[in-house]
Amino acid sequence: MNETITATGLPPAFPDRTQLPDEEGTFVKNFHEHPQSLILTDSIWPVVERLHPDGQYAIGQDCGIYWRETDPPERGAEAPDWFYVPNVPATLDGFRRSYVLWREHMAPFIALEFDRGNREEERDRTPLTVAADGTTTKPGKFWVYERIIRIPYYGIYEMRTGNLEVYHLIDFVYQRMQPNERGHYPIPVLDVELGLWQGSYQNQELLWLRWWDSQGNLLLTGSEQVEIERALVEQERERAEQERERTQQERERAEQAERKVTQLAERLRAMGIDPDAED
């Protein structure tokens, strides 16, 4: 007897990135967050390129990480100001709208939030709870990163005060890290350190969140590298010019000394003395 088996009562498949919103519908809160994200991405790019010669990594900037299916969908997403995910494609079908955890199964390795001053959202440890009527309490961002997504490193930078907190996931719980002797927070897997740097970037003089290598050398942005290379070329040009001037001065001194010898010989000959005669 032939029996036809049909799938009944199964829940619908989880949506993918093409079915989920890719924006929060709000403006960036200030003029500093966008360049802060750029300086982080620009300077760490050579590091992740070395770690992933196959190009399998993604860096998100204020992009949604969907970790739970909800209605509306945005309630099941968090959007770190900056995050890095190893071993995933940089794009999907040539473009990324958001990062869907249940489709790619790889947690971000580090997430950074730029605290806008209220000191609450980024540190909210409110757990996800479900009431008897099925309604849920929206969990806090800190709780989601620690307990659900389980991001190994989580940093909170208060741009107004210059305070930086970095947490490391140890035994499934975030432990606040202590800075090293340079005031930086080491991320050994990446062989980098995270810290604060006072300087100018994109016409803004601020205390920026930046990367250093494990020896304490600042990781440069592309424009900084070009500026240094330009300065080295100019330095070499000036050195070559100084060497040319030194050679020219030595030649002039030699010619002047030769003229003096010639003039002296002429005076001696005028006096009836042959300067070339042997004694």
Side-chain angles (χ1 to χ4, degrees):
M1 183 178 71
N2 294 329
E3 182 179 357
T4 302
I5 300 176
T6 59
T8 59
L10 295 178
F14 284 132
D16 63 22
R17 69 192 187 285
T18 65
Q19 301 164 301
L20 294 166
D22 59 355
E23 59 185 33
E24 295 179 293
T26 59
F27 291 109
V28 173
K29 301 300 187 297
N30 57 62
F31 279 66
H32 312 311
E33 292 182 29
H34 182 58
Q36 174 60 87
S37 294
L38 288 179
I39 199 171
L40 288 168
T41 301
D42 191 359
S43 57
I44 205 171
W45 179 79
V47 173
V48 293
E49 282 287 300
R50 274 197 311 273
L51 289 175
H52 306 284
D54 57 0
Q56 294 293 293
Y57 71 92
I59 290 178
Q61 299 175 91
D62 203 26
C63 299
I65 300 175
Y66 282 88
W67 59 274
R68 176 171 173 262
E69 190 177 13
T70 59
D71 184 19
E74 293 91 329
R75 288 180 59 85
E78 295 293 347
D81 292 312
W82 192 94
F83 64 96
Y84 152 72
V85 192
N87 305 318
V88 298
T91 62
L92 298 172
D93 302 325
F95 188 71
R96 266 199 185 277
R97 291 164 51 95
S98 53
Y99 190 78
V100 184
L101 197 61
W102 60 75
R103 292 285 177 176
E104 302 193 64
H105 313 294
M106 178 68 68
F109 181 72
I110 182 170
L112 301 172
E113 295 282 3
F114 311 143
D115 191 329
R116 298 164 181 89
N118 57 24
R119 300 178 60 87
E120 297 176 1
E121 180 182 356
E122 288 76 13
R123 298 169 180 82
D124 190 348
R125 292 172 168 84
T126 303
L128 175 66
T129 58
V130 182
D133 60 0
T135 59
T136 61
T137 300
K138 187 179 188 306
K141 181 174 291 187
F142 193 102
W143 185 87
V144 171
Y145 291 168
E146 178 186 50
R147 301 302 177 90
I148 304 299
I149 305 179
R150 294 178 179 174
I151 303 173
Y153 289 91
Y154 175 37
I156 304 171
Y157 175 40
E158 296 178 5
M159 302 187 76
R160 292 178 183 271
T161 65
N163 179 62
L164 174 60
E165 299 173 13
V166 181
Y167 297 86
H168 185 199
L169 192 66
I170 301 175
D171 295 332
F172 305 105
V173 176
Y174 273 145
Q175 303 290 336
R176 184 169 176 179
M177 298 176 63
Q178 296 300 314
N180 62 17
E181 67 280 1
R182 289 186 286 269
H184 301 161
Y185 297 87
I187 314 292
V189 174
L190 296 179
D191 200 28
V192 299
E193 298 176 353
L194 186 65
L196 299 175
W197 173 82
Q198 181 71 45
S200 180
Y201 179 70
Q202 292 198 354
N203 199 35
Q204 298 184 55
E205 178 72 27
L206 291 172
L207 191 61
W208 299 98
L209 187 60
R210 294 200 62 168
W211 308 105
W212 283 258
D213 66 20
S214 57
Q215 286 73 49
N217 301 303
L218 183 67
L219 299 187
L220 303 177
T221 64
S223 60
E224 288 172 333
Q225 188 65 45
V226 168
E227 186 176 342
I228 287 178
E229 290 173 359
R230 185 183 296 119
L232 290 175
V233 169
E234 178 63 21
Q235 184 180 9
E236 179 60 23
R237 188 196 65 77
E238 291 179 355
R239 189 200 64 77
E241 178 64 21
Q242 291 172 355
E243 180 63 20
R244 189 193 65 79
E245 291 178 355
R246 185 186 66 79
T247 302
Q248 179 65 23
Q249 290 171 356
E250 289 179 353
R251 182 183 300 113
E252 291 176 353
R253 284 195 295 268
E255 290 174 352
Q256 185 178 18
E258 186 177 354
R259 285 196 298 272
K260 288 182 178 179
V261 170
T262 301
Q263 291 171 357
L264 177 59
E266 290 175 352
R267 286 199 297 270
L268 290 174
R269 290 191 183 95
M271 298 169 58
I273 302 173
D274 185 358
D276 301 321
E278 294 183 0
D279 296 338

